[in-house]
Structures are given as structure tokens and as C-alpha cells.
Amino acid sequence: MRPFLLPVFLLFTAAASAQKLPTDLVHAGYDWDAKRHQRLPITVEEEALPAVMLRDFTSIEYYYDKALKDMRLFATEHRIVRVNSSDGIERYNKIVVPVLESGAPVDIKARTISPRGEVHEVKAADMKELKDQEGGRGYRIFAVDGVEKGSEVEYYYTRERNFNHFGNEILQGETAAHDVTFELISPEALTFETRTYHGPAATKDTTVAGHRILRLTQKSIPGLRDEAFANVAAQRMRVEYKLAYVASKGQVRQFTWADASQYMYRTMTSLGKDDVKAVAKVLAAAKLPVGGPLPERIRAAENYVKLNFNLEEGASPALAQVVATHNAPEAGLTHLLAAIYRTLGVDYELVVTSSREASPFDGTFDTWDYLDHFALYFPGTGQFLAPGRPDMRYGMLPAEWTAGSGLFIKGVTLGSIESAVGKVKDIPALPAEQSPHDIDVTVAFSPDLEKSTVQLRQTLGGYPAAQIQPFWAMIPEAKRTEIMQGLQKSVVPDATNFQKMEVRNVERGVSPLEKPFIIESQLESAALLDKAGPRYLFKIGTLLGQQTELYQKEERQFDVENDNNRRYLRTIRFDVPAGYAVRNLNDLNVDVKAGPDATKPDYDFHSSYVQQGQTITVTVAENYRQIRWPKADFEAFRTVVNAAANWNKVVLVLDKKS
């Protein structure tokens, strides 16, 4: 959840951290096995891996500081890693420790154990602190010297974290791990709940010396590998946790979806005096229509805000500041647009959700950690809008927010009291037809068959267009030709002698759902046609553009998950050279489907041709109409994907007529 939202509603104020770690933390005396001088055993198979995690211990402790009379949050982490290759060394010879901006201390120890049993301990004072190469804040990076192939790198540290009533821990990554433990410690008066994804549940609360302890242990967790058509990050074993009950409040559940709905609604709709003036100033400048079709009124307000205000996550969300600086974080832009629509009498619901790329929204577990992104839903049109995404327009949300669920919040009035109610509902994905990438190609062979002149038009709508269309106006003029040529070369890689290059629908604020991005040009190619003795070979398949191939040999790990639904329609025309005939036109006919309904399959690839005299017109249609597909039937999906990859290799043989 976005941190600016929290301080108003916390049960504890969580004051700024002191400069010393408390000595009475549960793991204040944590230490490694000082007597150990030999490496931990691994299998022969594990010796072939770049690295193996031999201990992965994480303890999160909610701590009541009696001196400060406040709650604080600490983490103790212990890792032992065997590094078997240069890649493994590069990955694990640095220790990255997130730290508070206040500079709270970190109690850290590190050592290496060589293949010969030589132990080299690195004291915190001797560690070389490095700067974050990416310029990020909130990290201390320590180098561990003397690491060689076959060594173990072992370290542990205790640090203070930003206080929050919700959180998550990732228990699985690309490195296989053994002896994995996660525990959550809290004072006895606080009851936390956890939800484990892609793994076993944590043990029930146990009370030890005035503390509640939730624990999850795994003897081993396999490493994950990248996989096409899958959100691997979302498939990692992870634990989500939240504060559910406080002893002083009895059996009243804390931080429910109902609580979140009321809090979010107040935050995104309340207007102080300065806010009212700020919104009035925007409305006076925008001159938005107060009548007319509802979609046009919605679009007009969105366009004005997105063309005149900048997304700046570090900016203040306060409306007076937003209007004064024209900079705002996602929440500030949401607040502004919500205020405008309310003033204009446009009914909407506030939607809060998370990205399914890493932590898909789970409505059955009410952790506010899922409340990451804001959208508006308009019941009058059934459409969504993403206020904080300048690359999206009305009718579109970022694809990773769709095909999942979110918290839908609407205002209600009870007498003179305004409140809000929320409900977890689905956020549908856009249909495939709204995200087309179409190609129209006409190929004319030169009389000597040495080259081809190509008329090429690409039409991108929906998500394909959103990758370039919103940014076109910001691209320097000197770079546009290079980009246009690059786009056309994605279809005709050896394209030269570009003529009549043109792009359409690139004005600022245009919606890719209403006006697709179109690029059109005439160009030449010497590689589409090859001479092979008396024959010519026409590499027609390349005109699909580069295709994804799914020829993996490993067993499928996960269900298929597409980024978005999409459609491809390609039309290819050419005249067979005089005196020649095409030997293998039937290679152009392909029909592959996946899904229970053969008349409208979930996925399909269909190609066919029509010949009229010497003119041949080829039509290739490819559709992906579902976001998810079970791995148990992966072959059906793979067949469709590979049908396109195989067609990409189709070569027509032109034989001279007898």
C-alpha cells in the first residue's frame, strides 16, 4: 500500500527510530555456528548450479518500545549460500541491506568458508560500503572479498524496517534453497494472520514469553526459471501478513475491506477549503462540457488533466500543491479527477487493486498491502479509467491490473452522513479485438527478380499502440525517422530506400481504442526473393514479423498467463512473376485451434489464400482471447503459438513454367 496513506489511520504512531537496536529483541543475541569450519553438504546435481541457498532464515518482529511508548518493526535475516561458478559469485559477493532514511543502524556479520575449510570473517567495520549503482535510496551495499568457486558466503543482520501493519515476504527465487524459515513475532496483545501462496500455511499462533509467533518452515524450495507466457514473479512462494486483532479492541477485526473502503473514499474525495479553490481553478481553465454524451464528458476531463499535469511519484498529493506545481503522484491525480467528475455530476466508483505481475489481488485475504493502484469505474458506461497513467486513456487500464479483481468503492449517503461501501469485484481484460496488430503488405517483384518493392502498413491499437502512440509527440524529430524505419524493419528486416513514410493518429491525447497508431511506407527489399538454380524462393513467412517460439524441452512449470488478449490480422498480396507458377501454395493453408468451442476458440491461427490470375492474396488471422490457460493442456496452446512460428518459416517455390 502506498505509504502516504498510512499515518492517518494507524493504530500506533510508530515514531522515528532511535539510533540503537534494542537489546531485548527476541533475536538480539542471534549468532551463527561459530564452531563450524566445514561447508554444508550439497548433492552432485546442486554442484552444477551457479549457487545454492543452504539456509534462508527471516524473522519479522513487531516490538513495543517502552521508552518511546510506541511500536517498531525489526527484521533478522540469515543466509548461507554455496557459490559454484563465476555467475554465482557475482550474484552473492555483495550484501544488499535496505535501511531507513533516518540512518538506523544495522547489526551485521559476514564470513566465507573456502573449499579448504578456511574461515574468513568480515567485520562490519571492515566492510566496504558501496554506492547503489542505480542511484536508488534506502540501501547499503557491502562487498564480501575473497569469494572463490566452491565457497560459502554466510551473513546475518538485524535492521529496523518502516513500520506497517501489513507486509509480505518472498520465500522463493531463481536459486534453489534449503532450510527455509519465516517467522512473525509480535507482542501477545497483537494477533497477526498470514496467507501463504504457492506453499504451505504457517503454523498457528504459539505464545512464548509474552510473544506470539507464527512460523513457516520448508526443508527445500526449488529455484524458479524464466518461462514464456507466465508471470513467474507472481508464482513465487510468498507469505502475506496483516494485523487482524488487537486485545484492547476485543474480537473486532482490524483493517477490513469495509475499513479500507471508508478510509480510501475519504482520502480520495474529501476537499478542504484550499482543495475546493484548487479544483475550481482547474475547472475554470479547462472549460469542460457540462452536457452531452457521458463518454465525451469523461474523456474531456481526463484529457485535460493528463495533458496538463505530470505524474511525479515524489510530489505532494495535496490538491493545492498539485494545482500549484502541476505535478502529482498517482493518488494526487486520482483525487483531482475524482473531484472534477464529482463536480460535473459524473457518477463513478473508486477502484483500488494490485498488479498481477507480482502479487495478484486476493479478495479473500483483507491485507491492505494489495491496495497499490487507483482506477475509476463509471457505472453509466461500464468503462474504467487509470488517473495516474498518462499512457492510458478512458476504456483502458494497464493490462497487469486487469484479469483479476479489486476493491470497488462507492459513496453512500445516510441522512446527512456520507459514507462508503466496498465490494471485491472482477476487473475484466480487454477483448482481443481491441488490441490489434495488423499488417497489410503488397509485394511487387522487379522485372529482373533482383529486388522487391513493398507497400507496408502496420495498424496498432489498444495495448500494442500504447507502447509508442502516447510518447510520439515527445520523440525528437531527428529520431522519428529512425524509429519509423525500425518499426518497418520488424517486418522486412533488410528494408532500404524508404519512401512515403507516414504515421497517423499521433497527436497528444489520442486514444488507441478510438484511433489506432498507423505507420505506412514504401520500401525495397533484396532478401525476400532468392534464386535457387532455375527456381526462385519467396520468403513470404517473414512478412509476419518475428514470432515467439515455444519449443521448450523442460516440463512446463506454470499455467499460461498472457499479458493481454490480442489479435493479429495480416494480409499479403503479390503477383506471381510472368512465366512462373507457385509449386507449394497449399503450405499457406493452416488451421489450428485451442478451446472447447470450435466456432470461437480461445486461441487460433488460421491462414488461407485466394488466387485470381497471377495475383495471390494471403490472409493470416491469429487470436488470443483468454488471459489464462491450464498447463495440463499446454500442448494445445503451444500448437497455436508454434503455428505462427512455423508459418514464419514458409517459403514459396516459384517454378518456371514448361
Side-chain angles (χ1 to χ4, degrees):
M1 182 182 175
R2 300 213 172 272
F4 86 90
L5 293 172
L6 290 173
V8 186
F9 201 58
L10 292 181
L11 296 174
F12 305 101
T13 56
S17 62
Q19 287 304 305
K20 290 184 179 180
L21 295 174
T23 58
D24 56 342
L25 292 172
V26 169
H27 290 300
Y30 192 90
D31 203 357
W32 54 39
D33 182 358
K35 296 179 180 179
R36 187 171 72 88
H37 289 77
Q38 297 300 319
R39 301 172 302 164
L40 298 174
I42 62 175
T43 66
V44 173
E45 291 77 13
E46 289 173 335
E47 288 179 351
L49 300 175
V52 183
M53 189 79 67
L54 301 177
R55 178 158 174 74
D56 187 346
F57 173 82
T58 302
S59 177
I60 306 299
E61 181 172 356
Y62 285 81
Y63 171 81
Y64 182 70
D65 191 314
K66 296 177 182 177
L68 294 174
K69 296 182 179 180
D70 212 342
M71 293 297 301
R72 299 168 68 184
L73 181 60
F74 295 88
T76 297
E77 303 184 36
H78 183 190
R79 310 282 185 264
I80 303 175
V81 188
R82 171 81 73 90
V83 291
N84 299 321
S85 67
S86 298
D87 181 56
I89 293 173
E90 179 64 25
R91 197 180 305 173
Y92 290 105
N93 67 350
K94 298 180 183 67
I95 304 171
V96 181
V97 184
V99 295
L100 298 180
E101 291 184 4
S102 62
V106 175
D107 182 13
I108 182 170
K109 288 177 70 175
R111 68 179 177 179
T112 61
I113 301 178
S114 76
R116 299 170 298 282
E118 299 165 343
V119 180
H120 176 64
E121 183 172 339
V122 185
K123 302 291 185 182
D126 298 329
M127 292 183 184
K128 292 182 288 187
E129 187 168 346
L130 307 178
K131 292 183 179 180
D132 186 350
Q133 295 299 313
E134 298 181 358
R137 297 179 181 176
Y139 291 92
R140 292 172 69 187
I141 305 174
F142 300 95
V144 180
D145 294 331
V147 182
E148 59 181 287
K149 291 181 182 179
S151 292
E152 278 184 4
V153 177
E154 180 174 11
Y155 61 90
Y156 69 84
Y157 56 78
T158 299
R159 66 183 176 93
E160 185 164 8
R161 286 187 174 185
N162 283 313
F163 187 85
N164 202 327
H165 294 102
F166 330 93
N168 70 75
E169 287 297 321
I170 306 299
L171 304 180
Q172 187 176 24
E174 61 181 335
T175 302
H178 298 295
D179 189 15
V180 179
T181 299
F182 165 78
E183 64 180 27
L184 179 65
I185 304 171
S186 65
E188 196 171 359
L190 305 182
T191 300
F192 280 80
E193 290 185 359
T194 64
R195 176 70 59 86
T196 306
Y197 297 87
H198 314 294
T203 58
K204 293 183 178 179
D205 257 350
T206 57
T207 305
V208 179
H211 297 92
R212 291 184 182 274
I213 302 177
L214 284 161
R215 183 178 288 110
L216 185 154
T217 59
Q218 284 285 91
K219 289 184 178 180
S220 63
I221 298 177
L224 298 180
R225 66 176 187 273
D226 286 337
E227 194 166 58
F229 299 99
N231 279 335
V232 177
Q235 300 296 330
R236 297 175 297 182
M237 187 185 301
R238 75 178 198 277
V239 179
E240 297 280 349
Y241 55 88
K242 65 158 286 182
L243 178 62
Y245 298 97
V246 179
S248 63
K249 296 181 179 291
Q251 292 303 305
V252 178
R253 187 173 179 83
Q254 304 298 307
F255 300 106
T256 64
W257 290 141
D259 295 332
S261 299
Q262 294 184 38
Y263 170 64
M264 290 290 184
Y265 187 79
R266 287 198 306 271
T267 303
M268 290 294 108
T269 62
S270 62
L271 298 174
K273 290 183 179 179
D274 291 341
D275 297 331
V276 172
K277 292 178 182 178
V279 173
K281 183 177 180 180
V282 172
L283 288 171
K287 297 180 173 59
L288 300 173
V290 294
L294 181 58
E296 291 183 11
R297 294 161 59 201
I298 295 171
R299 288 192 190 98
E302 177 193 33
N303 242 15
Y304 182 82
V305 169
K306 290 186 176 180
L307 293 180
N308 290 278
F309 291 82
N310 304 311
L311 176 65
E312 178 58 64
E313 284 300 343
S316 168
L319 289 189
Q321 282 295 105
V322 169
V323 175
T325 64
H326 281 237
N327 296 316
E330 180 182 355
L333 293 173
T334 302
H335 197 176
L336 177 58
L337 266 172
I340 290 172
Y341 288 130
R342 190 171 187 180
T343 304
L344 296 176
V346 175
D347 186 31
Y348 67 86
E349 294 179 14
L350 178 68
V351 182
V352 199
T353 189
S354 62
S355 166
R356 60 181 163 88
E357 287 184 329
S359 300
F361 189 98
D362 179 4
T364 68
F365 187 61
D366 52 354
T367 170
W368 291 19
D369 216 35
Y370 287 130
L371 304 180
D372 273 343
H373 298 293
F374 299 102
L376 299 178
Y377 171 71
F378 301 93
T381 64
Q383 297 295 325
F384 293 84
L385 182 155
R389 289 295 295 265
D391 55 330
M392 299 283 129
R393 283 298 182 272
Y394 169 75
M396 288 183 73
L397 295 180
E400 62 272 17
W401 301 4
T402 70
S405 53
L407 183 62
F408 286 62
I409 306 166
K410 62 179 179 181
V412 293
T413 302
L414 304 173
S416 60
I417 300 174
E418 186 175 13
S419 186
V421 295
K423 185 177 181 181
V424 175
K425 295 192 288 187
D426 290 340
I427 302 175
L430 284 181
E433 292 72 19
Q434 289 191 282
S435 289
H437 184 172
D438 299 340
I439 296 174
D440 188 284
V441 186
T442 300
V443 180
F445 304 122
S446 64
D448 59 4
L449 303 183
E450 290 294 321
K451 63 181 180 179
S452 308
T453 299
V454 181
Q455 304 285 344
L456 173 59
R457 181 175 70 247
Q458 296 192 65
T459 303
L460 286 71
Y463 292 115
Q467 298 177 42
I468 185 169
Q469 190 176 34
F471 312 107
W472 190 261
M474 295 178 277
I475 298 173
E477 191 72 37
K479 292 287 292 182
R480 291 181 182 176
T481 298
E482 178 185 340
I483 292 172
M484 288 189 287
Q485 290 184 359
L487 288 170
Q488 300 298 66
K489 284 184 176 182
S490 68
V491 179
V492 186
D494 75 317
T496 58
N497 193 22
F498 288 87
Q499 303 172 40
K500 304 177 183 177
M501 189 83 72
E502 181 185 6
V503 291
R504 297 201 292 276
N505 299 330
V506 291
E507 59 271 21
R508 292 186 68 208
V510 69
S511 169
L513 298 179
E514 301 293 319
K515 295 182 178 180
F517 176 87
I518 298 173
I519 178 168
E520 193 167 9
S521 63
Q522 178 177 298
L523 53 91
E524 291 182 355
S525 168
L528 284 176
L529 204 60
D530 278 345
K531 187 171 176 57
R535 302 186 178 96
Y536 281 90
L537 306 178
F538 176 29
K539 291 177 280 189
I540 189 172
T542 62
L543 295 174
L544 287 191
Q546 188 173 0
Q547 300 296 303
T548 300
E549 298 181 349
L550 274 178
Y551 299 124
Q552 66 183 58
K553 296 180 180 179
E554 303 92 344
E555 183 180 353
R556 182 74 184 181
Q557 296 178 107
F558 309 118
D559 291 345
V560 168
E561 184 169 340
N562 291 291
D563 295 335
N564 55 272
N565 297 320
R566 57 202 183 278
R567 181 204 81 193
Y568 304 96
L569 179 62
R570 295 91 162 192
T571 304
I572 304 169
R573 305 174 199 83
F574 69 97
D575 285 345
V576 179
Y580 285 84
V582 183
R583 177 200 293 184
N584 58 326
L585 281 172
N586 282 336
D587 289 354
L588 299 172
N589 294 326
V590 178
D591 190 19
V592 179
K593 301 174 182 177
D597 186 351
T599 61
K600 191 174 182 181
D602 294 329
Y603 312 108
D604 67 284
F605 181 93
H606 178 82
S607 64
S608 60
Y609 73 93
V610 173
Q611 182 168 9
Q612 293 181 323
Q614 293 293 98
T615 301
I616 294 176
T617 302
V618 184
T619 303
V620 183
E622 186 179 2
N623 297 279
Y624 296 85
R625 299 186 179 94
Q626 292 293 334
I627 297 296
R628 298 178 178 89
W629 183 258
K631 70 175 181 179
D633 198 15
F634 177 64
E635 277 306 315
F637 176 81
R638 175 157 64 176
T639 301
V640 174
V641 173
N642 284 346
N646 294 337
W647 209 97
N648 203 211
K649 302 177 180 68
V650 169
V651 176
L652 295 181
V653 180
L654 309 183
D655 281 332
K656 201 154 192 172
K657 293 179 180 178
S658 302

